[in-house]
Amino acid sequence: MISLLFLVFLAPKSSAYIGLYNDLNCTMFNGTSVVYAPEAVNCQNVVSDSYCRVAYPPTSPDIPYPEEGMDYERPLMCYTLDTATPAAIYRDAQATAVATCPRTCGLCCRTSAFMCKNLIYPRIDCNTITRAQCQSPVWRQILAEDCPARCGFCDLNGCIDAVPGCENDPSICHTIGMEQFVNQNCRRTCNRCSVSTQPPCAAGK
């Protein structure tokens, strides 16, 4: 009976699911397992998403791409040249993935936008910040100053558009009657950042 149970344990599962255990970059422990942290997917790919899906196919057709809170394996080519797990981590392969397809590979936290330190005494606990708050006009300026590494604001030096999308229409910067709006909400796009703004990331880079 023991030998039979042992063979059943070793038998391949019907699902191609593979747990997240090889490359643990941008992950966190949620109390029961290691999962992707919000910083893993809180960015955009540098190249097109369609290119990234071709360049970095999932480990198996039924394994989705990385998402916050999930624990399935990221595409192998995001970090290795091996063709099966367990696989060795190749730094060059990982660096290429970060430079081109960080969102697809769940490696946003390895980009320069996340490579800084949060304030030691922030106005809000940075560990509790959600991706939705990072995009909220109510929170974005505070988070850019206090929790830049949580939201991927490290490259902004504390100056951010409170309203996402200002960069889509730069003409708003010179539109008569919109001065107050852009001064409050489109500071980065419209070059309205105060020269006295302290860069919160400088000490952490």
Side-chain angles (χ1 to χ4, degrees):
M1 176 64 72
I2 294 177
S3 60
L4 178 60
L5 290 175
F6 183 72
L7 290 175
V8 170
F9 178 78
L10 290 180
K13 298 180 180 180
S14 58
S15 171
Y17 170 83
I18 301 176
L20 179 60
Y21 63 88
N22 259 339
D23 179 3
L24 298 181
N25 276 293
C26 308
T27 62
M28 56 183 276
F29 184 68
N30 67 359
T32 57
S33 61
V34 176
V35 299
Y36 290 107
E39 300 93 321
V41 292
N42 192 13
C43 70
Q44 300 297 320
N45 291 319
V46 177
V47 297
S48 69
D49 292 344
S50 58
Y51 171 87
C52 291
R53 286 191 291 270
V54 173
Y56 296 99
T59 305
S60 178
D62 62 344
I63 297 180
Y65 284 101
E67 288 295 344
E68 176 184 348
M70 306 306 292
D71 66 348
Y72 29 75
E73 183 65 88
R74 57 170 48 92
L76 277 174
M77 293 185 67
C78 292
Y79 65 92
T80 188
L81 301 179
D82 295 343
T83 57
T85 56
I89 294 178
Y90 289 79
R91 298 303 176 189
D92 288 346
Q94 190 178 78
T96 299
V98 170
T100 56
C101 302
R103 174 64 176 82
T104 294
C105 289
L107 290 171
C108 292
C109 79
R110 301 296 299 167
T111 65
S112 63
F114 290 87
M115 300 298 283
C116 67
K117 295 183 182 297
N118 297 321
L119 289 185
I120 298 176
Y121 301 109
R123 284 165 282 184
I124 183 173
D125 184 353
C126 297
N127 292 323
T128 67
I129 299 301
T130 65
R131 290 172 63 191
Q133 284 177 289
C134 293
Q135 297 302 315
S136 169
V138 176
W139 288 103
R140 280 169 63 86
Q141 184 59 49
I142 293 175
L143 298 180
E145 297 170 0
D146 291 20
C147 304
R150 180 69 171 185
C151 292
F153 294 157
C154 293
D155 294 335
L156 305 181
N157 288 332
C159 179
I160 192 171
D161 292 334
V163 176
C166 292
E167 70 279 3
N168 295 332
D169 183 17
S171 67
I172 194 175
C173 302
H174 309 290
T175 300
I176 297 175
M178 296 296 291
E179 293 88 350
Q180 183 175 355
F181 177 85
V182 298
N183 287 343
Q184 293 180 345
N185 299 296
C186 301
R187 295 172 61 233
R188 187 169 188 83
T189 293
C190 296
N191 196 25
R192 306 295 170 85
C193 301
S194 171
V195 294
S196 63
T197 299
Q198 295 297 315
C201 300
K205 286 190 175 181

